[in-house]
Amino acid sequence: MKPQLVSFHKELVAGRTEIVESDDRAVFREHGMDGWILNYTVDGRGRINRGERRFTAEPGHLLLFKPGVAHDYHSDPLTKRWTHLWVYFFPRASWFEWLAWPEASPGILRLDLARSEQRARIVALFQEVERLSHAPLKRRVALAMSALEQLLLWCDAANPDSAQASMDPRIQRALDHLCANLEQPMRLDALARVCDMSPSRLSHLFRAQVGMTPMGYLEQQRVSQARELLLMTGRPIAEVSAAVGFQNPIWFTRVFRRHAGDTPRGYRKRGGAAPR
């Protein structure tokens, strides 16, 4: 049985969370989430994982949880509190080469900004992402994504490995090809030929660098494009479905609901807001 990943059914969600020892608010998501989670420790200290994989998140630490990686954290017993900012998001194709951070634990990346000259700028952008994500603006998600893009660029500037750790150009080619051909039928073997790789090697390396399978990434990008077309155009649902590569509108509705938590028609009617 395929593990069930937790989902917010949105393109981006941001917030600020304070966990104290008296709270029964330990987070444990065995199979992780379908999107990426960026986490910045403001105050206190977080305990991440257990046993030999355990480490702490200190003030100034940025953590990046890949999709499908277990979330297991709480405030550290020594500080008895942990305040952190967080963003749930799906990276654009061009962002992945900026996400090659040092690994703190399998699937969990970390940057230490405590002494970085970029710290104040990154924290300000983090707060801006949170503010925009809740603003009463029609295009609040697009604006928040723009601020997040700047945030990740400055994180790349603070990453000590950024000059050496770049995405494999074949995987970048795969990302570009998928995003440029959302409306086209796509098979793994055909994508592998574009990248001059075997299907098995492509699958392995793509998952290692992107955090999901090529077809899983394609599905996410198709739904993301569908969200934009539903909100910004009056095109019929069947036409939107075909425009993002789903020739069967019924199957499109099923996939869209799984990602967005609503049908395409309901999503358009509510202006992108989550159903009550």
Side-chain angles (χ1 to χ4, degrees):
M1 184 176 179
K2 187 177 180 180
Q4 186 63 42
L5 305 184
V6 178
S7 178
F8 283 136
H9 299 301
K10 292 185 178 181
E11 186 176 357
L12 180 147
V13 183
R16 178 188 178 101
T17 299
E18 181 175 6
I19 300 177
V20 297
E21 189 179 40
S22 59
D23 287 344
D24 184 21
R25 298 180 65 185
V27 173
F28 182 67
R29 306 181 183 110
E30 182 179 4
H31 302 297
M33 302 195 72
D34 61 342
W36 293 61
I37 292 286
L38 182 64
N39 181 304
Y40 175 77
T41 297
V42 176
D43 189 32
R45 187 162 66 180
R47 182 218 68 201
I48 316 298
N49 295 337
R50 308 176 195 185
E52 294 181 355
R53 299 177 63 182
R54 175 177 172 176
F55 65 95
T56 57
E58 312 277 350
H61 283 186
L62 264 174
L63 302 180
L64 191 58
F65 293 78
K66 291 184 176 182
V69 172
H71 292 198
D72 179 9
Y73 46 80
H74 199 287
S75 60
D76 187 81
L78 293 177
T79 61
K80 301 181 180 180
R81 72 185 190 284
W82 181 36
T83 304
H84 56 275
L85 303 172
W86 55 269
V87 181
Y88 160 95
F89 68 102
F90 295 94
R92 292 169 177 161
S94 59
W95 294 4
F96 282 98
E97 63 178 306
W98 312 334
L99 304 180
W101 299 3
E103 193 170 62
S105 183
I108 305 176
L109 313 180
R110 177 173 56 189
L111 287 182
D112 184 356
L113 303 179
R115 296 178 177 82
S116 172
E117 62 182 19
Q118 312 299 346
R119 181 178 182 177
R121 189 193 307 267
I122 290 171
V123 172
L125 283 166
F126 220 127
Q127 294 169 336
E128 181 71 353
V129 171
E130 181 190 6
R131 184 188 71 81
L132 289 168
S133 71
H134 299 287
L137 301 168
K138 184 175 181 179
R139 293 188 172 86
R140 60 182 179 275
V141 173
L143 289 165
M145 286 289 282
S146 177
L148 178 59
E149 182 172 55
Q150 294 182 62
L151 189 162
L152 293 175
L153 279 167
W154 285 110
C155 286
D156 185 61
N159 180 4
D161 295 341
S162 62
Q164 294 79 30
S166 60
M167 174 165 285
D168 188 296
R170 296 170 297 178
I171 300 303
Q172 188 63 56
R173 196 186 314 162
L175 292 169
D176 293 341
H177 184 78
L178 290 171
C179 290
N181 296 278
L182 294 180
E183 77 286 359
Q184 299 296 328
M186 192 69 61
R187 290 172 55 90
L188 182 62
D189 56 353
L191 181 63
R193 286 194 294 273
V194 169
C195 304
D196 296 322
M197 303 172 73
S198 69
S200 60
R201 178 58 180 159
L202 171 62
S203 294
H204 176 79
L205 190 57
F206 195 101
R207 182 182 284 277
Q209 297 202 347
V210 180
M212 65 188 69
T213 66
M215 295 303 107
Y217 176 80
L218 176 62
E219 186 174 281
Q220 282 189 354
Q221 295 303 308
R222 283 173 166 171
V223 171
S224 178
Q225 180 66 19
R227 290 175 190 258
E228 184 174 330
L229 291 175
L230 288 167
L231 294 182
M232 303 304 174
T233 76
R235 297 167 70 174
I237 302 298
E239 191 174 314
V240 170
S241 172
V244 297
F246 292 94
Q247 299 308 315
N248 184 332
I250 296 176
W251 178 245
F252 167 63
T253 296
R254 185 179 301 175
V255 172
F256 188 91
R257 184 196 289 272
R258 186 168 72 245
H259 284 270
D262 201 356
T263 64
R265 192 175 307 279
Y267 182 84
R268 170 179 274 169
K269 182 178 180 181
R270 293 179 178 82
R276 296 180 179 178

